[in-house]
Amino acid sequence: MTTEPESRKNRRAEERGSQTQDEQENTMTAEQPVGDAAELQTRANTIIKVADHETPLRLENITIRYGGERNGAERVSVVEDFGLELGAGEMHCVAGRSGSGKTSILTVSAGLTLPTAGRVFWEDAPLDTMDDDEVADRRRALIGYVDQGGALIEGMSALENVLLPAVPDGEVEQRTEMAKNLLELVGLGKRIKHRPEQLSGGERQRVAIARALILGTRVLVVDEPTASLDRTSANKIIGILKDTTKDGISVLVASHDHELIRVSDSMTELS
């Protein structure tokens, strides 16, 4: 299904920075850090210097089409000429019905798939000029991706799941305290030994968010984080996402949750 450029409605959220009651009770406020967790969250002096983080993500004229490679089938256009500039510490919501291209935009933004046309920039560096290894290195340093449902590893504890991204670099021991702090920050400090099957859907999602932050994320890309959650659990997730922006982390989220849309700094609606 084709999404025409004029069908998108961009608007600045009227209540920028507003929070739900659950956010106020559960967010990781700068005034109430847990230990040195506030410092641990702002950990992105890896490949790009912090001073360069004014626009961590930029999309230019992104077009995404599928099919058409076999049997002469017509290619289906999912996204046409999509553009976005995401500033440091901003939360942008891509809204729209199922099949409108929300997830496609997220995977392209995270460098997991390539657009049919257009360009993706991380910290003003175009991905199309990088080889696969450089894209992978920069993604690990800058992008945290949380797919719908959290996708935790069964049989591993919450702490072990959070530490998974640190395994390839042999940094598990060095980042264990940070992982514990992140779980504390998302309200799971007493469940670090629990396995996914012992956690609720909302708790699993919070573990996945903590895991996405463990390597120093500058952009948190999250797909439908409140889908299938009750309102109380959903509001806790929304509060956590909103609060990460206080540390300068940008959040790109796909959702049709009206409360999440309301608290976002800006939104794009796909139809």
Side-chain angles (χ1 to χ4, degrees), residues 1-269:
M1 184 169 293
T2 302
T3 303
E4 298 297 338
E6 60 266 26
S7 68
R8 297 194 305 266
K9 304 172 185 177
N10 293 290
R11 61 117 171 116
R12 186 64 52 173
E14 294 179 356
E15 298 183 38
R16 180 173 182 141
S18 59
Q19 293 182 306
T20 64
Q21 181 178 354
D22 280 296
E23 289 178 68
Q24 294 168 0
E25 294 175 353
N26 294 286
T27 53
M28 306 169 289
T29 59
E31 294 80 5
Q32 295 176 320
V34 179
D36 58 353
E39 178 184 355
L40 289 171
Q41 282 193 92
T42 57
R43 45 118 186 144
N45 53 355
T46 46
I47 292 179
I48 307 297
K49 294 181 179 179
V50 176
D52 297 329
H53 286 164
E54 293 182 4
T55 308
L57 174 66
R58 179 158 52 95
L59 307 178
E60 286 188 355
N61 308 117
I62 296 297
T63 294
I64 303 170
R65 299 189 182 108
Y66 296 114
E69 297 180 359
R70 297 181 180 179
N71 303 323
E74 183 179 354
R75 302 200 79 182
V76 176
S77 181
V78 178
V79 175
E80 288 283 343
D81 197 32
F82 181 89
L84 173 67
E85 283 196 13
L86 186 62
E90 292 182 351
M91 184 159 76
H92 183 89
C93 183
V94 180
R97 57 175 176 74
S98 297
S100 61
K102 300 189 301 295
T103 298
S104 296
I105 289 172
L106 263 57
T107 57
V108 164
S109 299
L112 299 172
T113 58
L114 297 173
T116 306
R119 308 187 81 189
V120 179
F121 296 81
W122 292 341
E123 306 294 352
D124 289 330
L127 268 63
D128 55 273
T129 65
M130 306 177 194
D131 61 29
D132 290 346
D133 288 341
E134 186 175 2
V135 171
D137 287 343
R138 285 180 176 260
R139 183 191 301 116
R140 282 177 57 77
L142 300 173
I143 307 293
Y145 187 81
V146 182
D147 62 8
Q148 187 171 347
L152 302 183
I153 305 299
E154 301 293 334
M156 297 180 70
S157 69
L159 180 62
E160 290 169 332
N161 268 280
V162 172
L163 284 167
L164 270 177
V167 171
D169 294 333
E171 296 183 353
V172 171
E173 184 176 350
Q174 298 94 308
R175 294 189 182 271
T176 296
E177 278 306 309
M178 180 181 181
K180 291 178 179 178
N181 274 295
L182 285 171
L183 285 168
E184 185 74 32
L185 286 167
V186 299
L188 296 175
K190 296 181 179 180
R191 297 181 183 271
I192 64 174
K193 295 183 180 180
H194 284 56
R195 296 185 299 276
E197 58 269 26
Q198 297 172 309
L199 300 172
S200 69
E203 289 170 337
R204 291 167 66 103
Q205 197 72 18
R206 283 185 268 167
V207 172
I209 292 171
R211 181 179 61 192
L213 293 169
I214 192 66
L215 290 184
T217 299
R218 298 311 304 172
V219 180
L220 190 59
V221 180
V222 192
D223 192 8
E224 297 282 5
T226 62
S228 303
L229 299 183
D230 62 79
R231 189 69 261 163
T232 298
S233 297
N235 284 347
K236 289 178 180 179
I237 298 295
I238 293 170
I240 290 167
L241 293 177
K242 187 65 178 176
D243 205 64
T244 60
T245 63
K246 296 177 182 178
D247 293 309
I249 297 170
S250 304
V251 178
L252 177 62
V253 58
S255 180
H256 54 266
D257 186 311
H258 294 295
E259 183 62 22
L260 200 159
I261 293 170
R262 185 184 72 82
V263 304
S264 295
D265 297 305
S266 58
M267 64 91 75
T268 302
E269 183 173 352

